[in-house]
Amino acid sequence: MWNLARRRLVGHIPAPDFSPELVARLARLRADDLLDLVCDPRETWWRRQPCALALRGRVPSAGVPRLIAGIRDVKDVAEVRRAILEALGDAELGPHAGELLQWLRAAREPEVGYDMAPAILLARARLRDASAAPQLAELAADPWTHRRLAGEAAVDVLIATVGLDSVLAALGAADLPALAFSAEAWAHRLLGVRLLDRSGGDIIPALADAEVIVAHQAHLLLIGSPLPDEVLWAVVAAHGPTATAWTGDECPRGPAGACLWALCVLRGRGRDVADAWRSLGGPRVPLPDVPDDVRRAIATAYVPGQRQTDPRWLLEAAVLPFTPPDESALLAQAHAALAAAALAPQPARSAGELHNQGEGTYSDIAFTGGTVSISALGPFASFEDDDRRARDALVAAGFRVIDPAPATDEVTGLHVYFFGRRGPLCVHDLLFYWQD
């Protein structure tokens, strides 16, 4: 009987399938059969995972200890353990709730497995564990979008289960404005801004936050808010002199930040901010050694960048756009110049082709004597080993050769994703970018 039931169940999952449709079909089968498969480590993980999800809302009470044991088995596959946590979210845990909560509170990545924190913290929220609030605030501020969204959703679950006052108390805040504007940890302020905005509160003070990520989030929320434009223009007028005086590398904060982020909000709403930007002196991040055409090409290509990006870059890209030539035309122009110099250029190869995966902002052209990289962002070329004949030919054709000195200049304040990092890159890495 058992073997027949198992064979039938396995027949429903002949190959890896993680679709909601499969889970829905499995949910019509006997819960005890699903439970036995989930708890059988001899079965493939890709069968156990959808079966665990199919147990949501109907976990047999006798099976709860077996599932909890599966969650605690750090040697098991994380996908299965996350699915079990999801299934237990709606289960009646009875006397086992305390045992599970104790383990969840002590669990830490990476000891308990890769990317387990979102599921663990969501489970704590469902178990009415207000002490999870600080960790949830950190998760809701995570640089990885999928973790950040999971954290935000779990915070909402915690608020629904224990109430907003309990969450605020766990975060050490008297009310939402205190959390949004006075919390010591920027992740807590970030959460406060989101919750305060959702409650209809005034989040304009967050535009002046010392942490650019908080100010950036406030500006995104204000773009779609019903707040009248006049209020934002008033912020610009009130703090304009401070913004004008902010001329260093450091990202503007305080009144200067409030002024510039308010302009970004207005720009995000489609308003013309060019005159206001110029009246402030055209505030830009200082890069004295980077040619203006290179700077504008980079700004146009990469803004808005990551959420740590200086608001001056957002405004510069909006007010001083750069229209790059067609990439195919650039490559044809470079190829023709090299051919005219009798350097026998080969067909261009894109960054993705050169690396056999991914994509980038440049292509290489091999020629007699070397190779030149041509940027897709504008008429910019780079040589690994300089060749005077090729250089002269490309310069005569209108290309700017990116020499080593400016090439290594960091484009301060413009944060770009690059192999897991989210920071400023140098000119060369932006003009000749590749990501797998």
Side-chain angles (χ1 to χ4, degrees), residues 50-382:
C51 287
L53 293 176
L55 284 170
R56 286 177 294 197
R58 60 196 198 102
V59 172
S61 57
V64 169
R66 296 173 65 190
L67 292 176
I68 291 178
I71 292 168
R72 298 177 63 171
D73 182 3
V74 297
K75 295 181 180 179
D76 203 351
V77 179
E79 285 83 353
V80 174
R81 295 162 64 215
R82 287 196 295 265
I84 293 175
L85 273 174
E86 179 69 20
L88 288 176
D90 299 321
E92 179 55 56
L93 302 180
H96 305 289
E99 172 194 355
L100 176 59
L101 184 56
Q102 182 179 7
W103 184 86
L104 293 172
R105 284 174 171 168
R108 294 291 184 274
E109 290 179 345
E111 289 82 2
V112 296
Y114 172 72
D115 216 15
M116 286 291 294
I120 287 171
L121 289 170
L122 175 59
R124 290 177 63 182
R126 287 170 167 167
L127 289 170
R128 304 174 58 85
D129 181 14
S131 70
Q135 289 173 263
L136 280 171
E138 293 291 336
L139 184 62
D142 197 273
W144 291 102
T145 302
H146 73 283
R147 289 171 65 93
R148 185 164 67 248
L149 293 177
E152 291 176 356
V155 168
D156 292 343
V157 170
L158 185 62
I159 291 173
T161 58
V162 305
L164 179 60
D165 288 344
S166 294
V167 172
L168 289 172
L171 294 172
D175 52 29
L176 282 178
L179 182 63
F181 310 133
S182 303
E184 182 177 354
W186 71 261
H188 293 191
R189 300 198 301 274
L190 183 69
L191 174 60
V193 167
R194 182 173 74 88
L195 297 178
L196 181 59
D197 176 72
R198 193 168 66 184
S199 72
D202 178 15
I203 64 170
I204 281 186
L207 295 177
D209 199 280
E211 171 55 54
V212 63
I213 292 176
V214 177
H216 177 268
Q217 180 62 31
H219 119 271
L220 289 179
L221 293 170
L222 287 168
I223 288 174
S225 78
L227 186 77
D229 287 355
E230 290 73 19
V231 176
L232 296 161
W233 285 117
V235 173
V236 174
H239 302 306
T242 309
T244 300
W246 196 287
T247 58
D249 293 342
E250 193 176 358
C251 186
R253 61 182 183 275
C259 173
L260 295 172
W261 281 115
L263 270 185
C264 289
V265 174
L266 290 163
R267 177 64 181 87
R269 292 180 173 187
R271 310 300 182 256
D272 185 354
V273 299
D275 288 344
W277 180 77
R278 292 189 177 94
S279 72
L280 298 175
R284 301 200 299 173
V285 177
L287 295 175
D289 297 325
V290 178
D292 197 58
D293 58 336
V294 172
R295 177 186 183 118
R296 290 172 60 191
I298 288 172
T300 301
Y302 290 99
V303 168
Q306 298 289 303
R307 56 187 182 157
Q308 303 98 315
T309 294
D310 191 307
R312 291 175 290 182
W313 280 113
L314 276 65
L315 294 169
E316 179 177 341
V319 175
L320 302 174
F322 176 87
T323 303
D326 178 77
E327 183 180 5
S328 59
L330 276 175
L331 292 173
Q333 182 180 351
H335 196 278
L338 294 170
L343 293 174
Q346 301 299 308
R349 300 178 65 201
S350 69
E353 182 182 358
L354 291 166
H355 293 278
N356 296 316
Q357 60 185 341
E359 58 185 11
T361 64
Y362 71 96
S363 295
D364 276 1
I365 300 177
F367 59 89
T368 301
T371 301
V372 63
S373 296
I374 303 296
S375 176
L377 306 188
F380 312 119
S382 176

